Amino acid sequence: MSPDLVFLLNSVLLGAGLAMDAFAVSVANGVQNPNMKRRRILLIAGTFAVFQALMPLIGWLCVNTVSEQFSVFGEVVPYISLVLLTVIGVKMIAGGISGNEEAALVTGLGTLMIQGVATSIDALSVGFTIAEYDVLSAVICALIIAAVTMVLCIMALKLGNRIGSRFSDKATVLGGVILIFIGAEIFITGVLL
């Protein structure tokens, strides 16, 4: 399959759809730290972009090599996202309520990696939708997904910064609630619907 206008449009739309969980988590991260520096914004948005690009490629590879084993893993994805985002959200809420800023800070590198996995793990299944792509097309699609995710997450972090600066005393608790809500939404969508 050679990249054409339809391919590019589909990839952009796929990127926008996949980035919604990362967008929402980025808002929560921005709320938590209203004075976030540009470098930190780029690190967070870049992390989400990398995970959103890697997961479809891993899914594509699985479909083209070990598709039977991958289908079993796909069933536990909503549970993994729910647990990861709930743990991070509860940590944020507890830190926000206690006033312990160190306990509430969840945008460290380890936590950022967990957020990246939790928000992009459902993108593994995109490997099924792009299974007919050749290697080059799959990589181009993944790069477009990454670019769209990066732009949306930068916007979300800046939005969260504005919200956080207005509600700084409640921002960490709000961020934790948002993460738990996102985990629940992924779970409900993946298991019940």
Side-chain angles (χ1 to χ4, degrees):
M1 166 178 252
S2 63
D4 60 7
L5 186 58
V6 173
F7 168 84
L8 295 175
L9 180 61
N10 285 341
S11 297
V12 168
L13 293 174
L14 189 58
L18 289 174
M20 286 302 103
D21 291 336
F23 180 90
V25 172
S26 292
V27 170
N29 287 340
V31 164
Q32 179 195 7
N33 188 354
N35 300 315
M36 191 178 295
K37 304 281 187 230
R38 180 178 300 197
R39 186 173 168 184
R40 186 73 181 159
I41 289 172
L42 292 175
L43 173 68
I44 292 170
T47 300
F48 287 130
V50 166
F51 276 102
Q52 289 292 358
L54 283 178
M55 291 299 183
L57 285 177
I58 292 169
W60 178 87
L61 183 63
C62 289
V63 167
N64 287 291
T65 57
V66 289
S67 61
E68 287 182 26
Q69 290 80 9
F70 179 70
S71 64
V72 173
F73 178 74
E75 295 174 14
V76 298
V77 165
Y79 297 95
I80 294 169
S81 294
L82 175 66
V83 169
L84 292 176
L85 291 174
T86 299
V87 166
I88 296 168
V90 168
K91 181 180 177 185
M92 282 177 73
I93 292 169
I97 290 173
S98 71
N100 183 351
E101 291 301 317
E102 294 302 314
L105 185 61
V106 296
T107 55
L109 189 57
T111 302
L112 187 55
M113 294 296 138
I114 292 171
Q115 289 178 347
V117 169
T119 59
S120 67
I121 198 164
D122 59 334
L124 278 169
S125 61
V126 171
F128 287 122
T129 65
I130 64 171
E132 76 279 356
Y133 289 5
D134 58 35
V135 175
L136 180 61
S137 296
V139 170
I140 291 171
C141 180
L143 291 174
I144 292 170
I145 290 169
V148 170
T149 300
M150 182 92 174
V151 169
L152 289 175
C153 287
I154 288 171
M155 292 169 38
L157 286 159
K158 289 183 178 190
L159 173 65
N161 288 164
R162 287 193 180 108
I163 294 169
S165 63
R166 290 189 181 150
F167 304 102
S168 59
D169 56 336
K170 306 281 189 250
T172 303
V173 173
L174 176 62
V177 170
I178 290 170
L179 290 182
I180 293 170
F181 176 75
I182 294 166
E185 183 271 329
I186 292 170
F187 177 78
I188 291 168
T189 303
V191 173
L192 302 178
L193 299 178

